[in-house]
Amino acid sequence: MLPLKKKVVATSRKIRTNRTFVVTHLEAMDVFLVGGDNESFPCCLCIWNAKTLTKIKKLHAHLYAFDKILHIKDMNLILTGGNDHYIRVWNLQFKCLQSFEHSKLVKDFEVIEDKLLSCGNFENIRVWNLKTMKFATLINTDNKSGFNRLKYVPKHNRILTSNTESNEIWVFAWPSKELLQKIALPTEHNGIEQLRYYDQRDEIVIGGGIDSNLLIWNFVDSSKLKEVGSFLGLKKIIKSKVSSMLLLQDRDLLLLTTADSVQFIFSYKTQELLAVSPLKPFCQHELVYIDKRNLLVCFSIFRGFVSFQRFKSN
């Protein structure tokens, strides 16, 4: 670790994870759910003990790479999405309850109460009922290039979707499904890779591709989405695509990893760069934070390496 200020203490060790496409922490069971942890296809959903870092179970889940793993606490369900055009629904005993097939690649999905919304390389947003486990309806967009990110903002009952090809954010009302806004981002933003909502600040952060900025937006009068700021210094600091973004709201820290294997830690409020750290091996990385242990875990994508970092008390 090469800290600019002594805010982070880092240690690292290797464990064998092979192809790791996505990681999440299941707090109720204190386990990591690792998507794609397999030496060959089909890709597996692996369950790791978060305390001992030992593998508990391995399930064949998707034919190709994972895109997302989501835990639905209220329904005791786990959702996994893969490049095989399926979203699979699992219970906490890791039994597959249902598979939702899509016509093309699935890129992202969200859950609103008992409804699953999915987007990808297809025109319209699909809506599925998680109680009946059946297809429910469509949000018609007639967007032939599809969407790569999907985010629900419960405070404002808004659905945000991003279209990388046209560099646009589309805003829908929920549950009416009415299209409210199409927002064209600056051409230098180079596509939309990250779309996050941070409830404590009621802000949306939009991250783009190579040499692009992080844009900060919020809702004006709970209706229109409007840009309110940006991380102005990122263009000078980051020279590669942001592959993972994590905001620790209670600590006011924004963490980024980039495709050229560097981790950056910023103060979200002041935008001050606090620490820079090279990551090994040279590949993309995924960040997961376990609050009760004050533990940041950084999984390498495609390679078997994990680093661990603990934050000092504020």
Side-chain angles (χ1 to χ4, degrees):
M1 193 75 177
L2 305 173
L4 303 179
K5 292 187 177 182
K6 294 183 179 179
K7 273 186 171 286
V8 180
V9 176
T11 60
S12 62
R13 57 174 279 199
K14 289 185 178 181
I15 62 172
R16 183 168 295 279
T17 59
N18 299 312
R19 292 181 176 91
T20 302
F21 297 107
V22 62
V23 180
T24 192
H25 180 247
L26 184 58
E27 186 175 355
M29 300 173 64
D30 198 19
V31 297
F32 289 120
L33 304 180
V34 181
D37 188 356
N38 199 29
E39 293 181 356
S40 60
F41 298 110
C43 284
C44 292
L45 174 65
C46 285
I47 299 92
W48 289 72
N49 184 304
K51 184 176 182 180
T52 63
L53 286 175
T54 55
K55 192 182 298 184
I56 300 171
K57 186 177 290 189
K58 180 171 73 172
L59 305 167
H60 285 175
H62 291 278
L63 186 59
Y64 304 119
F66 277 70
D67 286 310
K68 188 172 183 177
I69 302 175
L70 186 63
H71 175 216
I72 313 304
K73 295 181 181 180
D74 295 342
M75 303 185 74
N76 291 321
L77 296 175
I78 298 165
L79 306 180
T80 63
N83 288 356
D84 56 1
H85 303 181
Y86 282 95
I87 295 176
R88 304 199 192 279
V89 184
W90 311 76
N91 61 19
L92 295 188
Q93 289 72 47
F94 302 104
K95 177 183 178 182
C96 185
L97 304 178
Q98 183 59 283
S99 297
F100 296 128
E101 185 177 6
H102 296 69
S103 58
K104 294 181 181 178
L105 193 69
V106 177
K107 291 292 189 70
D108 203 359
F109 51 87
E110 275 276 34
V111 170
I112 306 175
E113 297 177 343
D114 61 349
K115 300 298 188 296
L116 166 66
L117 281 66
S118 58
C119 71
N121 292 351
F122 37 86
E123 289 186 21
N124 302 310
I125 298 170
R126 269 70 168 164
V127 182
W128 313 79
N129 190 313
L130 288 174
K131 287 186 176 179
T132 64
M133 295 293 181
K134 294 181 179 180
F135 173 77
T137 186
L138 293 173
I139 299 179
N140 293 307
T141 68
D142 295 323
N143 176 25
K144 296 187 183 301
S145 60
F147 300 96
N148 71 324
R149 293 292 178 265
L150 182 67
K151 178 59 63 178
Y152 176 59
V153 183
K155 181 176 180 179
H156 304 287
N157 288 319
R158 296 290 184 266
I159 299 167
L160 309 182
T161 62
S162 64
N163 182 343
T164 298
E165 288 191 11
S166 63
N167 225 32
E168 290 181 334
I169 299 291
W170 293 26
V171 183
F172 296 88
W174 181 264
S176 71
K177 301 180 289 184
E178 177 187 1
L179 177 61
L180 301 177
Q181 282 181 278
K182 286 186 183 181
I183 304 169
L185 299 183
T187 54
E188 63 268 20
H189 199 62
N190 288 333
I192 301 163
E193 300 291 340
Q194 308 288 337
L195 184 61
R196 300 284 191 271
Y197 173 67
Y198 299 128
D199 57 335
Q200 290 187 17
R201 297 182 180 273
D202 193 25
E203 291 180 344
I204 293 95
V205 180
I206 302 167
I210 297 172
D211 294 335
S212 65
N213 210 346
L214 290 183
L215 305 179
I216 303 171
W217 298 63
N218 66 14
F219 285 95
V220 179
D221 300 325
S222 296
S223 57
K224 296 294 185 180
L225 195 60
K226 181 179 180 181
E227 184 177 354
V228 294
S230 62
F231 269 68
L232 297 175
L234 284 190
K235 289 184 179 181
K236 297 179 180 179
I237 298 170
I238 295 178
K239 302 303 180 183
S240 182
K241 183 176 73 173
V242 174
S243 58
S244 182
M245 181 167 70
L246 181 67
L247 176 66
L248 305 183
Q249 299 185 58
D250 293 336
R251 295 179 176 275
D252 185 43
L253 294 176
L254 175 70
L255 288 79
L256 305 174
T257 65
T258 58
D260 57 355
S261 296
V262 181
Q263 177 178 285
F264 298 87
I265 301 178
F266 295 87
S267 164
Y268 184 82
K269 183 177 181 180
T270 67
Q271 302 187 11
E272 178 187 3
L273 178 62
L274 303 175
V276 181
S277 173
L279 299 172
K280 296 181 180 180
F282 188 85
C283 61
Q284 296 186 41
H285 295 77
E286 181 81 15
L287 295 171
V288 182
Y289 183 66
I290 307 176
D291 183 63
K292 68 178 182 180
R293 290 213 185 102
N294 180 29
L295 184 66
L296 177 71
V297 185
C298 183
F299 282 77
S300 63
I301 309 293
F302 302 113
R303 305 284 185 87
F305 185 85
V306 183
S307 68
F308 303 89
Q309 303 173 24
R310 293 186 186 276
F311 292 91
K312 290 184 176 181
S313 300
N314 292 331

